[in-house]
Amino acid sequence: MSKLEFCSMQGRVAVITGGARGIGRAIAEKLALLGADIVIADMLDELAGKTADEISDIVHRKMLAVKVNVADGKSSGEMIDRTVQHFGRIDILVNNAGITRDMLILRMEEADWDSVLDVNLKGVFNCSKAAIRPMMKQRYGRIVNISSVSGQAGQAGQANYSASKAGVIGFTKALAREVASRQITVNAVAPGFIPTYLTNDLTEDLKKSILSATPIGRMGKPEEIAAAVAFLASEEAAYITGQVLAVDGGLAMM
């Protein structure tokens, strides 16, 4: 089998939330390189447009940039509607949008808890619910949710983030059972520590602690998360659903 045939996305339409930068951008680039047409959905609409143009210049795929607030059901629904109106279908949804509001729980404000759960968990619900209807009609779909090692093992100072990402895992398994009969798979990727804008504020001591706890001995790369997502979104993964793929250098090894 040639490289072009393996994990080919030719003829597919993929929506990536939080796709303007970081892991989301890497996923968008990977799926576009494999042949998919891409929707970059992000709160940062100007950056989303710039990202879409840059990826299009490289891989010459059809691109659409859409502003979305995944925490809002109406906004999420409009994003999916616009995708279907523009491309005629949606085959792949990558729920990547996420935020952090790290703080020890004794100092964590209720608003910090609510905002993280709204984006990271409710956002996955909103976007998945909107995407499921057209996927069910076409009897095909791939949903890949981005969880985290923090959702598997917990992380001090991240009670809100860990809870949201653990919730994503439970949601993934439940939805996978609901839609499997329609040939829709639902899986999750749980990244370890990846250098992105979300990890810019980590102290040097914490970075050293993370590296010492990671058997492979380094942080991951956005491209490594993108490769895992691409596989789960591919035809080759058609018999995989309800699973969580840890891409963490062995950090949460059980």
Side-chain angles (χ1 to χ4, degrees):
M1 182 177 290
S2 71
K3 290 182 179 179
L4 287 177
E5 290 173 331
F6 184 71
C7 291
S8 173
M9 302 287 173
Q10 292 291 337
R12 300 301 185 192
V13 175
V15 174
I16 298 93
T17 68
R21 55 182 176 170
I23 291 173
R25 175 173 177 143
I27 293 169
E29 290 179 353
K30 182 68 173 179
L31 299 189
L33 283 167
L34 291 168
D37 295 325
I38 304 293
V39 177
I40 304 288
D42 206 291
M43 279 285 287
L44 305 172
D45 53 335
E46 290 186 8
L47 184 58
K50 182 173 182 289
T51 298
D53 289 342
E54 290 173 352
I55 295 175
S56 180
D57 288 343
I58 295 169
V59 298
H60 308 295
R61 300 305 308 171
K62 295 177 182 177
M63 308 288 295
L64 177 66
V66 178
K67 183 176 182 178
V68 63
N69 174 10
V70 299
D72 180 75
K74 184 171 184 284
S75 179
S76 300
E78 289 172 348
M79 171 194 68
I80 298 300
D81 288 345
R82 189 171 171 193
T83 297
V84 174
Q85 289 167 6
H86 189 83
F87 289 110
R89 60 189 297 119
I90 172 174
D91 301 289
I92 300 161
L93 170 66
V94 182
N95 284 308
N96 167 74
I99 62 171
T100 58
R101 297 288 186 271
D102 294 353
M103 185 63 64
L104 294 174
I105 197 164
L106 289 176
R107 298 179 181 175
M108 186 179 292
E109 299 290 338
E110 185 176 350
D112 295 327
W113 173 273
D114 289 344
S115 60
V116 170
L117 270 290
D118 280 349
V119 173
N120 297 4
L121 183 53
K122 185 180 177 184
V124 173
F125 162 77
N126 285 336
C127 296
S128 298
K129 182 180 179 181
I132 283 296
R133 191 174 299 277
M135 286 181 175
M136 289 182 73
K137 286 182 179 179
Q138 65 197 25
R139 298 189 68 85
Y140 180 91
R142 299 282 186 269
I143 297 177
V144 184
N145 300 321
I146 304 302
S147 180
S148 170
V149 64
S150 295
Q152 295 177 302
Q155 180 66 36
Q158 288 193 321
N160 49 4
Y161 186 78
S162 296
S164 71
K165 293 302 187 177
V168 167
I169 292 173
F171 177 86
T172 296
K173 293 177 179 293
L175 184 58
R177 291 184 182 274
E178 288 188 21
V179 299
S181 65
R182 295 300 184 99
Q183 307 307 308
I184 302 168
T185 65
V186 188
N187 292 288
V189 172
F193 286 87
I194 314 295
T196 69
Y197 62 95
L198 288 181
T199 59
N200 285 341
D201 295 333
L202 294 180
T203 66
E204 289 303 315
D205 286 344
L206 183 53
K207 289 179 182 178
K208 289 178 182 178
S209 175
I210 293 166
L211 290 177
S212 67
T214 304
I216 284 183
R218 65 170 175 84
M219 289 190 176
K221 304 173 184 177
E223 293 77 15
E224 291 171 319
I225 307 305
V229 171
F231 170 66
L232 291 174
S234 73
E235 293 301 310
E236 284 76 4
Y239 202 55
I240 301 173
T241 196
Q243 301 303 306
V244 182
L245 177 57
V247 186
D248 62 4
L251 182 58
M253 198 181 301
M254 300 295 186

